Amino acid sequence: GSEMCIRDRELPAQWGFVWSTDPAKALPFVAMSTSPYNKGDCCTEGSKVYRSTLDSNVWSPSAYPQGWEEVNV
């Protein structure tokens, strides 16, 4: 029912999926449609740090390189 949808939507916040705009605090990329990366949000993939160049980004840097810029930390 609708109650389930609301719970699902609240889940990412409970689990702390808030992406950092600070490259030093970047977490490994997580593909979650409920927690897209917005412009300026950072993630890591491999040993590199990336910053999203678009809003609502759900693709990894390797899957969609044009959606990310590499950051030197």
Side-chain angles (χ1 to χ4, degrees):
S2 60
E3 190 184 327
M4 189 63 160
C5 288
I6 293 167
R7 267 212 302 276
D8 286 349
R9 234 179 274 134
E10 290 171 353
L11 208 61
Q14 289 175 353
W15 288 98
F17 286 116
V18 176
W19 313 125
S20 179
T21 54
D22 180 350
K25 295 179 185 166
L27 298 170
F29 176 82
V30 179
M32 287 183 69
S33 60
T34 50
S35 293
Y37 294 79
N38 286 316
K39 190 170 183 175
D41 288 345
C42 296
C43 77
T44 62
E45 189 177 60
S47 58
K48 296 178 178 177
V49 178
Y50 297 90
R51 179 179 288 127
S52 179
T53 59
L54 53 134
D55 286 333
S56 302
N57 191 352
V58 295
W59 300 281
S60 69
S62 59
Y64 190 71
Q66 56 268 55
W68 299 89
E69 60 184 4
E70 194 175 329
V71 182
N72 293 314
V73 181

